[in-house]
Amino acid sequence: MKIIPFILALLCCITAQAQQYDESKVPAYTLPDPLLTLSGQRVKNVRTWEKVRRPEVLRLFEDNIYGQMPHDFDSIRFTTLREEPRAMEGKALLKETRISVYRAGQSVSIHLTLFIPNNVPRPVPVFLLINNRGKNITDPDRKEKSPFWPAEVVIDSGYAIAAFHVSDLAPDNKDTFVNGVLQLYPGQLQAANGMKAIGAWAWGAARVMDYFEKEPLVNASKVALTGHSRGGKTSLWAAAQDQRFAICITNCSGNSGAALARRQFGERVSRINTTFPHWFNDNYKKYNDRENDLPVDQHMLIALIAPRPVYATNATKDLWADPTGTFLALKNAEKVYALYGLKSNLPSTPPATNAAVATSILGYHNREGEHDMTLFDWTHFIQFANIHFRKR
Ligand code: GCU
């Protein structure tokens, strides 16, 4: 009878699934201390953090998870492809730009879609989305409109809004991800700590920032970088690497994003490395089923962004991305912000569903609903940016 093994397998599967989402199954763990250097020195001030510990932590993330971030290239060129001064029924200027980067005879091009509000003083602060979904989501013609990138709402709030698609940098595919940024840096493919797709996407965000610095209509010192899920893992890594991003927003980013790995709740390191072998460096595979051996955890990725504001979100039906683990990562980054005299207003336990903590330098909400980025999320990103940009 084949039915018995089938039922047993099914039961096994159901139990495994239940365990993934069972808070009582979270093992006891000790997080690495962001304020203790590798040589055992206690970090007590911003100077030691910035000169010693921060570079150390950044290197640990490069070497063990996301890969190196190459900064050299031969040249970069910005080509305006289209300009519509009265787009969105006159509310905004649409500017589409090709950002081409050249290195060692190879090149990569990023297509940037940017709307700038017409009726506010320029240069304007801007939201930049790392788009990991369909290109239609950021339709420049606005025939299609998506709550994932609610451009009209952002424009009405007095911000510019921009987006680029991850496939311009590295196709999100284990067989073809090398066709992009990695052509410029072939040595990365040989190195166990070489960058892969998420590193390439983050590299792309930095090139968009290079463009913003040359674009007089946007305020490059007020760029809020945002991404959802794999894009949210990328927004954190990009903001950790590139301190020109003024605000980082990470939406439902989960494992290897804003959620603590050591909780082993929802997605695990082994699972992400198996399903998406092209996202992280080869060294990361050593930590499959060995989260406790990691020299970092994700609270330290958030800490790398200090003193800049970080807003992390989750959704109640997205346990895969571990909402509690995300909240705890923010909480455990607080002590690095405290070095800068910044106190977060996060409560000691996760806030109620839909209760946003947007006034805090480390912001958070857990929205009712599915794994997605919605108008609810964006409304709070705007609120968060209003608070933190106006404070400056
Ligand atoms: C998968 C993956 C997650 C990722 C998500 C997404 O669910 O396991 O790690 O965040 O895809 O990008 O939507």
Side-chain angles (χ1 to χ4, degrees), residues 280-292:
F280 306 103
N281 70 22
D282 290 343
N283 283 336
Y284 199 31
K285 279 77 179 169
K286 288 193 225 154
Y287 302 100
N288 288 352
D289 300 316
R290 303 171 67 111
E291 283 88 347
N292 286 307

Side-chain angles (χ1 to χ4, degrees), residues 215-285:
E215 170 54 74
L217 300 178
V218 303
N219 185 344
S221 70
K222 290 188 174 175
V223 179
L225 182 64
T226 170
H228 165 69
S229 208
R230 64 199 73 186
K233 304 181 207 295
T234 311
S235 67
L236 284 168
W237 180 232
Q241 275 288 340
D242 191 331
Q243 299 187 61
R244 294 174 296 174
F245 291 110
I247 287 182
C248 179
I249 296 162
T250 182
N251 195 77
C252 297
S253 60
N255 187 274
S256 313
L260 292 175
R262 278 170 175 72
R263 279 174 42 84
Q264 304 177 19
F265 185 103
E267 186 169 26
R268 299 275 308 268
V269 169
S270 54
R271 172 66 190 258
I272 206 164
N273 275 329
T274 312
T275 322
F276 306 100
H278 59 292
W279 283 0
F280 306 103
N281 70 22
D282 290 343
N283 283 336
Y284 199 31
K285 279 77 179 169

Side-chain angles (χ1 to χ4, degrees), residues 320-389:
W320 186 238
D322 191 9
T324 303
T326 303
F327 176 79
L328 292 174
L330 291 168
K331 285 299 287 178
N332 282 285
E334 281 178 338
K335 56 178 162 179
V336 176
Y337 282 78
L339 289 179
Y340 291 88
L342 296 167
K343 199 177 167 332
S344 105
N345 300 339
L346 287 171
S348 52
T349 52
T353 301
N354 291 340
V357 187
T359 52
S360 174
I361 190 91
L362 291 164
Y364 178 81
H365 71 237
N366 191 21
R367 165 181 53 74
E368 173 77 55
E370 311 282 343
H371 180 70
D372 200 357
M373 190 154 68
T374 68
L375 206 50
F376 179 95
D377 299 316
W378 276 96
T379 305
H380 291 92
F381 302 163
I382 293 167
Q383 192 190 341
F384 189 68
N386 284 345
I387 290 165
H388 295 287
F389 282 152

Side-chain angles (χ1 to χ4, degrees), residues 309-330:
V310 175
Y311 195 78
T313 75
N314 285 105
T316 51
K317 292 189 181 146
D318 186 18
L319 295 177
W320 186 238
D322 191 9
T324 303
T326 303
F327 176 79
L328 292 174
L330 291 168

